[in-house]
Amino acid sequence: AGTDRFARFERRRLENRATVFYRAVLVELDSAVDREEDTPEADDTYGDDARREAAREEQTPFLFALDEIIDDARERSADDEGFIDQVIETLAATDDERVRALRAGGPSEMNDPARRLEVVLNAAGIPAERVEGLRLSDRARDVPITRWVRLWRNGRWRTLDPQTGESLDPQRLLPLSTTDLPLVRYSGVNDVYVSFAVERRPQDSVTEALRRGESQAPIVAALSLLNLPLHTQDVFAVLLLVPVGALLIAFFRQVIGLPTYGTFMPVLIALSFRETSLLTGLILFTLIVMIGLALRAYFNRLQLLLVPRLASVLTFVTLLMAIIAIVSNSFGISLGLSISLFPLVILTMTIERMSLTWDELGAREALKKGVGSLAAAVLSYLVIITDPVEHLVFTFPELLLVVLALTIALGRYNGFKLTEYMRFRALSGR
């Protein structure tokens, strides 16, 4: 903010669609750097003298409304802090005639709450500016452009939400512009779609080595996953955890003897818990599978063929997840459901395999494998959610070769499982 820096992309001839990625790396300092800043001055476009004189001569409803809002806020407040709160409260009232006149008679940008607050505060002699930018988070995609207001009080800048008056943390905000110009300007094309993605990463020696490697070892640096767009990095950040989870499941089955429904189902359930949280994921999985088993028993009476039966269960699971999402949202509960990581196909096949096991081997064996699958998923989840595991696997994907070697070694293991020692303990005479 406050600079004229911009990025320019151009091409002489463009066919069909084109995608342009622009990446910026921001470094968060350990401590704030003290800077001597001159006290800013308020924009006097609608200042007291100019505003009152114009209101008398032109009888402008906009300036009259501006004057009344300022005077009313001053009468109801004892200091500048209270004045700001009163102004924000007044501007939030959509049924206030003064606010309507302010929006109708001013510039086109007055429909923006941040712009209205900026104009009123500047007219009252409080330096303020509207800022357009992004709210930073640890990981987010399609981050919307938001606006906030910075105002100068007691020798420092304060950042406020223009609609609620809540103080915002400037360390979690990325200013992009303080002007009324659009963030992206284009010519020679029909339309442009712009999306922003943010991700927080620790500044470590690997990141610094990658930056230096762009000039010293360009081929090695170009092969790093960190060069991919953020949304593609997210895909691989999850994808690279699948072999790690599969290794854990192989260990649980081959060495410990934990019964599960296949290998990939517990891994995918563990990955889904990363989105829904462990407790919510367990509740959802148990609820959907129990209801699905009851429905599957009903379908047995209809004597459906395999493929139509699976399609029917899949349709029911989809509707059930939609109903759960709607009901939880009506109570203000966010489940964080992710269709990609809580796959409907896996839930459907789990219900089908549990039903077949129930019919062939009995309820005890079906429940034992179901509980084993959940236990393996929970243990895998506790491993793959650790930051060091995710960081090492993503930054050094060649470590998957070590995972492959360990998996092959497990495949060569033909000794007793831990559960078999307990099973045949009576034969040992102990």
Side-chain angles (χ1 to χ4, degrees):
T3 65
D4 295 329
R5 290 181 295 177
F6 63 92
R8 180 175 181 177
F9 303 94
E10 60 182 8
R11 190 171 182 179
R12 186 175 298 274
R13 181 175 298 176
L14 184 64
E15 298 179 358
N16 299 326
R17 296 183 178 181
T19 303
V20 178
F21 296 99
Y22 180 79
R23 182 178 64 178
V25 179
L26 306 178
V27 179
E28 183 179 1
L29 300 178
D30 293 336
S31 59
V33 179
D34 294 332
R35 295 180 300 174
E36 294 183 359
E37 297 183 272
D38 297 332
T39 302
E41 296 182 358
D43 183 2
D44 61 355
T45 304
Y46 306 106
D48 288 341
D49 296 338
R51 171 167 48 83
R52 296 179 185 277
E53 185 65 26
R56 284 194 297 267
E57 295 180 0
E58 302 177 9
Q59 298 296 313
T60 306
F62 167 78
L63 296 177
F64 269 127
L66 183 63
D67 186 53
E68 290 185 9
I69 290 176
I70 293 175
D71 292 341
D72 181 60
R74 283 176 175 166
E75 290 179 1
R76 294 188 296 162
S77 61
D79 53 16
D80 288 341
E81 299 295 331
F83 171 77
I84 295 172
D85 293 337
Q86 293 296 333
V87 168
I88 295 176
E89 181 181 350
T90 301
L91 295 179
T94 56
D95 56 346
D96 195 314
E97 293 294 337
R98 299 169 300 179
V99 178
R100 293 179 181 177
L102 202 67
R103 299 178 61 177
S108 58
E109 298 84 5
M110 292 299 290
N111 289 324
D112 178 24
R115 178 61 169 168
R116 291 198 298 271
L117 181 59
E118 175 195 25
V119 169
V120 174
L121 292 181
N122 277 294
I126 300 177
E129 63 178 358
R130 181 187 63 166
V131 184
E132 196 173 37
L134 305 175
R135 292 196 179 192
L136 302 180
S137 59
D138 291 341
R139 178 179 297 175
R141 300 295 168 264
D142 295 327
V143 182
I145 294 293
T146 59
R147 297 177 178 88
W148 59 89
V149 173
R150 295 201 316 159
L151 55 94
W152 183 264
R153 297 305 304 154
N154 300 324
R156 63 183 183 91
W157 285 105
R158 286 185 53 196
T159 305
L160 298 179
D161 186 313
Q163 294 180 304
T164 64
E166 177 187 1
S167 295
L168 304 177
D169 183 7
Q171 298 295 330
R172 308 295 292 178
L173 300 173
L174 176 61
L176 296 178
S177 175
T178 57
T179 66
D180 296 330
L181 298 176
L183 290 178
V184 178
R185 287 173 287 177
Y186 58 90
S187 62
V189 295
N190 293 329
D191 194 13
V192 171
Y193 172 74
V194 181
S195 64
F196 295 91
V198 297
E199 184 169 4
R200 184 174 184 177
R201 290 187 178 275
Q203 180 70 14
D204 52 16
S205 57
V206 176
T207 308
E208 183 65 18
L210 178 63
R211 185 185 65 82
R212 295 181 179 180
E214 293 178 353
S215 58
Q216 300 177 3
I219 297 179
V220 176
L223 295 178
S224 174
L225 293 176
L226 295 173
N227 290 323
L228 297 175
L230 286 181
H231 66 275
T232 307
Q233 291 185 27
D234 278 349
V235 174
F236 279 99
V238 175
L239 188 62
L240 293 177
L241 291 175
V242 174
V244 178
L247 172 63
L248 294 173
I249 300 301
F251 175 79
F252 295 145
R253 295 194 59 175
Q254 298 300 121
V255 178
I256 298 179
L258 190 65
T260 63
Y261 285 107
T263 301
F264 296 103
M265 189 269 289
V267 175
L268 293 177
I269 293 176
L271 291 176
S272 70
F273 289 163
R274 297 174 71 246
E275 299 296 323
T276 61
S277 78
L278 181 59
L279 179 60
T280 304
L282 286 173
I283 295 175
L284 285 176
F285 180 84
T286 305
L287 178 63
I288 293 175
V289 170
M290 289 179 59
I291 298 178
L293 287 175
L295 181 69
R296 171 66 168 74
Y298 170 74
F299 287 158
N300 281 342
R301 300 180 181 179
L302 300 180
Q303 298 182 350
L304 300 179
L305 298 177
L306 176 62
V307 176
R309 185 176 63 208
L310 287 176
S312 300
V313 175
L314 177 63
T315 303
F316 177 79
V317 170
T318 304
L319 291 174
L320 183 59
M321 292 185 66
I323 293 173
I324 292 175
I326 294 174
V327 173
S328 62
N329 183 71
S330 63
F331 286 98
I333 302 174
S334 177
L335 297 180
L337 291 176
S338 176
I339 301 303
S340 61
L341 293 179
F342 210 112
L344 298 175
V345 176
I346 295 299
L347 283 172
T348 303
M349 295 304 298
T350 300
I351 295 172
E352 182 67 18
R353 293 188 63 178
M354 287 191 68
S355 299
L356 293 177
T357 304
W358 195 304
D359 295 337
E360 296 175 359
L361 303 177
R364 180 178 179 181
E365 188 67 22
L367 293 177
K368 184 170 68 174
K369 286 190 175 182
V371 173
S373 298
L374 276 183
V378 170
L379 294 175
S380 301
Y381 163 80
L382 296 177
V383 174
I384 63 179
I385 63 169
T386 57
D387 293 334
V389 172
E390 183 175 356
H391 174 72
L392 288 174
V393 173
F394 181 79
T395 308
F396 306 102
E398 58 271 17
L399 289 177
L400 291 183
L401 297 176
V402 178
V403 175
L404 176 61
L406 294 175
T407 306
I408 295 176
L410 282 175
R412 300 286 294 176
Y413 175 77
N414 55 7
F416 284 101
K417 302 173 184 178
L418 294 180
T419 55
E420 290 177 341
Y421 281 106
M422 299 176 60
R423 179 183 178 186
F424 300 110
R425 183 175 51 184
L427 297 178
S428 64
R430 298 179 181 178

